Amino acid sequence: MTSLLVAFGPPDVVIDDPPDAVVNTLLGGPMQLLLSALTVAVGALVALGVLVAAHAVCAALFLARFYRAGVNAALLDPAGRRFRQRWALVGWLLPVVHLWLPKAVANDIWRASTPSSTGPGARRLWPGILHAWWALWVLCQFCAAGAWLTGGTGWFLSAEVSFICSALLAVLVVLRLTSLQSRRLRYPD
């Protein structure tokens, strides 16, 4: 053990402790509490950064696939579109409009991707998965607005849970649309 002469005490005070114990002695109390709080804050910021990055990557991948599904739908049923292709992307970015336009575009994509027969799988039948995905997305938006307005943790957690659930359903919607479009391209009406 190395002896350390403490400069802030009487000259005869010598601490024969390991360096960590000296730091704890010198920085104990409020300083230790501040360091602990800073450690937690840095950890929270890193977690938030990872969460934001994950959201951004998922959003970019989903939008790319949603746009591509719209392009495919235009090829499968050119007369069945109510909106131009650019609305498959722009509709997500406009406030208030993002609560209904992307669902209308998704409905058009689904309609163009399903067979035109009158049996099961007819265009007029909308799957529950499409409605559930959209309902969770809208719920996520309202919870996020509540979290932003109130700063409440409950609102934030509700937004995140509904976002994760809607993201999982979005994956299922994309897989189903891909399957429908592939089948329709292989076996046209």
Side-chain angles (χ1 to χ4, degrees):
M1 294 232 202
T2 307
S3 296
L4 177 67
L5 178 62
V6 177
F8 299 108
D12 59 330
V13 175
V14 176
I15 300 175
D16 286 328
D17 289 326
D20 287 342
V22 172
V23 170
N24 287 340
T25 302
L26 294 175
L27 299 178
M31 192 60 130
Q32 187 66 32
L33 186 61
L34 178 64
L35 288 175
S36 296
L38 285 174
T39 303
V40 169
V42 167
L45 286 175
V46 168
L48 183 61
V50 169
L51 185 65
V52 167
H55 280 211
V57 168
C58 289
L61 291 173
F62 175 79
L63 287 176
R65 185 60 195 120
F66 192 72
Y67 184 83
R68 185 66 202 156
V71 169
N72 291 344
L75 295 174
L76 293 170
D77 187 8
R81 293 190 321 173
R82 295 179 288 172
F83 305 98
R84 291 181 181 231
Q85 185 56 39
R86 68 175 163 249
W87 289 109
L89 294 179
V90 175
W92 291 97
L93 304 175
L94 299 174
V96 180
V97 173
H98 78 286
L99 296 174
W100 65 270
L101 186 62
K103 175 65 163 70
V105 172
N107 288 344
D108 288 352
I109 293 170
W110 193 276
R111 186 181 306 114
S113 301
T114 55
S116 60
S117 66
T118 56
R123 289 185 191 183
R124 66 180 180 279
L125 297 178
W126 299 108
I129 193 170
L130 195 60
H131 296 309
W133 161 65
W134 194 253
L136 284 169
W137 169 256
V138 171
L139 176 66
C140 170
Q141 298 307 299
F142 283 112
C143 290
W148 185 74
L149 291 172
T150 66
T153 305
W155 283 106
F156 177 75
L157 290 176
S158 298
E160 285 305 310
V161 168
S162 59
F163 176 78
I164 290 168
C165 292
S166 91
L168 293 174
L169 286 178
V171 169
L172 295 177
V173 166
V174 164
L175 290 174
R176 180 70 176 142
L177 280 173
T178 301
S179 171
L180 288 169
Q181 289 180 345
S182 296
R183 187 178 314 133
R184 184 104 192 269
L185 287 170
R186 271 184 273 149
Y187 308 107
D189 295 337

